[in-house]
Amino acid sequence: MITMPARKPRRTAAATRRTPLLLDRAAIKRQLADETYDVLVIGGGITGAYAVLDAASRGLRAALIEKDDFASGTSSKSSKMVHGGLRYIEQGNVNLVRHSLLERHRFRKNAPHLVHRLPFLFPILEKDGIFDARLAKGFEGLLWTYDLVGGWRIGKLHQRLTVPEVLAQAPTLRAENLRGGLMYFDARADDARLVLTIVRTAAALGATILNGAKAEGLLMETDQVAGARVTADGDTFDIRSRAVVNATGVWTDELDAKADDGHRPQVRPAKGVHIVVPWDKVRINCTVTVPIPGRARRATCTRWGNSVVLGTTDEDYQGSRDDVHCTREEMDFLLEGANTAFEGKLTPDDVIGSIGGLRPLVGGGEGATLDMRRDHHITVGRTGMVTVTGGKLTTSRHMGELVINKVMTVLGHRGKSRTTDLPLLGGAGYDAEAVAASGGVAAHLGERFGTEARFVGDLIQDDPSLAEPIVAGLPYTRAEVVYAARAELARSVDDVLSRRTRARLFARDASVTAAEAVGAILGQELNLTEAEVERSVAEYLAAVHHEKSVLLEGAAA
Ligand SMILES: Cc1cc2nc3c(=O)[nH]c(=O)nc-3n(C[C@H](O)[C@H](O)[C@H](O)COP(=O)(O)OP(=O)(O)OC[C@H]3O[C@@H](n4cnc5c(N)ncnc54)[C@H](O)[C@@H]3O)c2cc1C
């Protein structure tokens, strides 16, 4: 495949800031209460994030509120793949795959610092594999389809691997029945950081964004929705807006019912979990797909730094939508899959982190959630509220575009989306290979902040002690906590350790040890009282304790 050398894209200069975008909570709250917006987006997951960015980039006066933290719902708990989804080809949904692969390409162009290419490996086994050598040919046909409908855009076509080539990628894979492998290429991103970067990009374009702000009710004017009544930090105020978007994921029905008494629930939550083990226990360099014995399911094992993430499940869920964790049974299921495929024996003691989330699927109660389609649904209700549900992380930009198209109709405006080639903050002018080659702190910061890493670097230059790591064993620096408080609306220890960094997922116990130090920095930066800092630390410790007890329920004391 011949590709031309790239020239400097036209929008790079305008999308690169000279000073950091600092966000001040008190000023944002005042603005929300005082202004009248064209559109208010409720829900700060990836769907709401791209909707508010789309609106702001079209020049609309746009706001977004999030009841907890940005990405604290499903959007920090995904498998983190920005992908076409090979499984959807198997389901016959080629259109979703084609479309997702185009969106993957746009994500990689607009956020090259956050969305990275990732090789996926399917081992071909003599028996007990996902498919045996006989069926590998048929499977390769699927991979050709994947390449042809858009996979090629990543710059590499799928490959057949010999046994030594497979073992070079996954040295601890059980070799007894191994006949070779098939490798193809997709991408992944830290989902929470992606959401944060999207909402910050919207803020840079003039949108007003706030976390810790819950829509308790809707404002109505002549039977049409006209804003929301909001609580934030114990204050209650009204946000007035000519159009309102409900992007609250698995909570969508709650808000739709506030807009329309006759609303019938649409969302069927499907739970999925991931667990994390140290890399030296499962030595892989890519994502390996393995069968779960005795069940028509497969799991993926993905290297992430010095860890490996194992996932996922897909089951109906009836519990609280605000308290979703990986259970003992779910952990055992994933460990069993990994133990069958890899040498050595993983036990619950090896699990250093876990996470559970809910897919906001739309549809009836029939059949397995795994077989339900992942397409999005956008409706305009009787009261004019635009509701969006379903979809995927990967297709969020396009969903945002379609949502704001509907909003434009509600407002009686005309105009087209501008997000297809809109760089996210830190993405313009970013050179992934050069940053990776620089190594050390520079590469770590580059891969999280893109060209905005210079602002975190400035903090370290002013106070070199901020270069010290904040969580033992992980590369995050103290400077990133300072930056999270000043520029990323982090309010609590949990915001920092669960989403501004992923310390809770990748090193749960070490994150507990770091909680006090994080609290101290937040206290100083946000002017918190000693009691507020203590409460933030205690809440984090209690949340982690709860997560761990759900995970280990049934384990020997
Ligand atoms: C296990 C799992 C794996 C997945 N893997 C992938 C993957 O690899 N690739 C992919 O593309 N997709 C994946 N997905 C799908 C993807 O993660 C979801 O489609 C997406 O994150 C949904 O985002 P959302 O914004 O619609 O919902 P959410 O992220 O849940 O956002 C909704 C937000 O609304 C807020 N909210 C609720 N009520 C209110 C209120 N009254 N006021 C203010 N705010 C409110 C919530 O706090 C929440 O933050 C996966 C999903 C799961 C569960």
Side-chain angles (χ1 to χ4, degrees), residues 274-276 325-326 351-356 504-506 508 547-548 551:
H274 292 85
I275 58 173
V276 180
H325 299 285
C326 178
V351 177
I352 54 176
S354 62
I355 199 160
R504 177 166 168 183
L505 179 59
F506 290 117
R508 182 190 52 216
E547 174 180 298
K548 208 169 160 179
L551 182 75

Side-chain angles (χ1 to χ4, degrees), residues 41-49 65-83 88 100 107 187-188 191 195 210 212-217 229-230 246-252 254-255 258 270-274 312-314 322 355-361 374 388-396 399:
V41 177
I42 304 175
I46 193 105
T47 309
I65 51 168
E66 160 55 48
K67 73 175 166 123
D68 185 348
D69 189 21
F70 304 119
S72 59
T74 306
S75 298
S76 57
K77 296 157 186 167
S78 76
S79 304
K80 302 170 183 30
M81 305 300 172
V82 178
H83 64 163
Y88 310 128
S100 301
F107 252 132
R188 72 138 179 239
D191 44 8
V195 173
L210 190 66
K214 180 173 183 188
E216 302 284 358
R229 175 147 300 170
V230 176
N246 178 0
T248 56
V250 289
W251 295 269
T252 305
E254 274 177 37
L255 204 61
K258 287 188 200 312
K271 185 178 177 192
V273 300
H274 292 85
T312 181
T313 52
D314 201 318
D322 291 293
I355 199 160
L358 300 176
R359 298 172 186 86
L361 302 184
R374 266 47 177 171
V388 50
T389 4
K392 306 189 323 157
L393 210 63
T394 311
T395 51
S396 52
M399 287 163 70

Side-chain angles (χ1 to χ4, degrees), residues 199-260:
V199 289
R200 276 177 49 74
T201 307
L205 293 174
T208 316
I209 57 162
L210 190 66
N211 52 355
K214 180 173 183 188
E216 302 284 358
L218 296 168
L219 308 181
M220 292 291 181
E221 266 172 33
T222 54
D223 280 347
Q224 291 299 290
V225 69
R229 175 147 300 170
V230 176
T231 53
D233 311 326
D235 303 325
T236 300
F237 55 92
D238 289 347
I239 303 176
R240 282 173 300 279
S241 180
R242 297 172 58 217
V244 176
V245 173
N246 178 0
T248 56
V250 289
W251 295 269
T252 305
D253 288 320
E254 274 177 37
L255 204 61
D256 273 353
K258 287 188 200 312
D260 181 353

Side-chain angles (χ1 to χ4, degrees), residues 336-351:
E336 194 188 333
N339 282 334
T340 317
F342 296 98
E343 282 164 9
K345 184 161 169 50
L346 289 169
T347 71
D349 288 340
D350 294 315
V351 177

